[in-house]
Amino acid sequence: MFRINRLINQTRASLITSKQLLTHEHKLFPQHYAQKSSTRFLDIYQLGNKQAVEKERARLADEMNRGYFADVAELKKHGGKIATANKIIIPALAAVKFPDLDVSYSDGTPLKLPVCSSGDVANADKAAIPKVSLVCLTFRASSQAMVDSWSTPFFEAFSDSKNVHLYEVSFIDSWLLCRSPIKRILLKIMRKSKDAGENALQRQIVYSFGDHYYFRKELKILNLLTGYIFLLDKFGRIRWQGFGMATPEELSSLLSCTSLLLEGE
């Protein structure tokens, strides 16, 4: 994530009004404005589709009410610890499925998360489906240390397990970096050349490009400056979650819940 930060400052500028934003971009890129617009902006031009227009208006209002400075203020207040992690495993009947997410490895290989035993498993051999997956989400470079506080002890504890997967997902929402030529160059720069090692468990670093608003809405993610940790079972259900910097008690809970999933279900 820090490599991305060196390429571009992805600090979210505060939105004054949606009309000012659209007008400013239109003046700067008059010939390419239609191509620049993402799906969220395309929907608003479906004037005959009232539902699409209302959906976009609700999104703009939501994003304007929650900006970068609100995230900073919240981070100063609790240091990224939005809530304490689960102390016990979430029962299977109460667990919700982790939203589908398209990601890419640094060599450009696509992957769809979660890798689980239900639904489309075209991206993974059935034998490669893990019993447990730890998915760590970072939206800004500031949260990388938080993610490391969870993923490093987890990796050390389960390095010999073939039934555990560890994914670190970095989100890249900059319009420029999401363009195909720049995206390919960026992935090439971020590609690791080091040996993966002999451990059964591999730290799989992947990247998600583009808009992630509705993905975040499903997981109720508001603050983009903190880290989010999700423990998934083999069906892709969220059985445990943590936030911010790990504490010893929370790490103990994570490791015990992982062991429980490996032993039983």
Side-chain angles (χ1 to χ4, degrees):
M1 198 67 180
F2 287 105
R3 292 188 293 272
I4 304 169
N5 197 38
R6 288 198 296 266
L7 293 176
I8 187 171
N9 183 357
Q10 292 190 356
T11 301
R12 286 160 51 195
S14 59
L15 295 174
I16 301 175
T17 65
S18 59
K19 289 185 179 179
Q20 287 177 329
L21 177 62
L22 294 175
T23 302
H24 178 63
E25 291 185 0
H26 188 93
K27 288 180 179 179
L28 290 176
F29 306 98
Q31 296 179 348
H32 304 289
Y33 185 74
Q35 295 179 358
K36 178 180 181 296
S37 301
S38 61
T39 305
R40 53 171 291 200
F41 287 111
L42 289 176
D43 285 344
I44 204 169
Y45 291 110
Q46 297 176 4
L47 299 180
N49 189 338
K50 293 183 179 180
Q51 185 177 3
V53 173
E54 291 302 320
K55 185 177 181 181
E56 182 61 23
R57 285 177 178 171
R59 170 180 175 150
L60 288 173
D62 185 27
E63 290 186 321
M64 290 173 67
N65 288 331
R66 178 80 188 194
Y68 170 75
F69 294 108
D71 287 356
V72 171
E74 193 173 84
L75 191 67
K76 289 180 179 179
K77 183 177 180 180
H78 53 54
K81 183 63 68 176
I82 295 175
T84 56
N86 295 105
K87 294 183 178 180
I88 60 174
I89 197 167
I90 299 173
L93 293 178
V96 298
K97 190 175 182 297
F98 189 84
D100 291 339
L101 179 65
D102 292 319
V103 298
S104 300
Y105 289 99
S106 59
D107 63 359
T109 303
L111 176 72
K112 177 170 284 189
L113 295 176
V115 177
C116 56
S117 60
S118 61
D120 182 14
V121 293
N123 65 320
D125 185 283
K126 287 187 176 182
I129 294 173
K131 287 185 177 180
V132 182
S133 297
L134 187 70
V135 181
C136 309
L137 309 181
T138 59
F139 295 89
R140 298 294 182 265
S142 61
S143 62
Q144 186 61 52
M146 301 178 191
V147 164
D148 290 343
S149 72
W150 298 96
S151 62
T152 299
F154 183 87
F155 179 84
E156 293 172 351
F158 298 100
S159 59
D160 294 329
S161 177
K162 296 181 179 180
N163 293 316
V164 178
H165 283 190
L166 170 59
Y167 299 97
E168 293 187 13
V169 185
S170 295
F171 288 84
I172 303 171
D173 55 10
S174 165
W175 172 81
L176 177 63
L177 294 181
C178 290
R179 299 303 92 192
S180 293
I182 306 299
K183 176 181 175 180
R184 287 195 295 269
I185 294 173
L186 181 61
L187 287 174
K188 186 176 181 180
I189 292 173
M190 293 186 292
R191 189 173 303 162
K192 289 190 174 182
S193 59
K194 69 177 184 178
D195 190 340
E198 299 180 355
N199 294 317
L201 172 62
Q202 298 300 320
R203 189 190 302 262
Q204 303 187 55
I205 300 177
V206 294
Y207 305 90
S208 175
F209 290 86
D211 181 56
H212 46 67
Y213 175 78
Y214 293 107
F215 170 81
R216 290 190 288 109
K217 289 288 283 185
E218 287 194 58
L219 292 175
K220 296 179 174 59
I221 291 176
L222 296 177
N223 195 312
L224 300 187
L225 300 181
T226 192
Y228 297 85
I229 315 298
F230 298 91
L231 186 69
L232 313 182
D233 63 18
K234 62 183 178 181
F235 298 108
R237 297 173 300 194
I238 300 172
R239 307 300 299 276
W240 181 97
Q241 58 183 356
F243 314 89
M245 196 73 70
T247 66
E249 294 77 14
E250 290 175 326
L251 278 174
S252 177
S253 173
L254 169 61
L255 300 183
S256 61
C257 287
T258 302
S259 298
L260 184 61
L261 288 175
L262 287 173
E263 291 171 1
E265 309 178 7

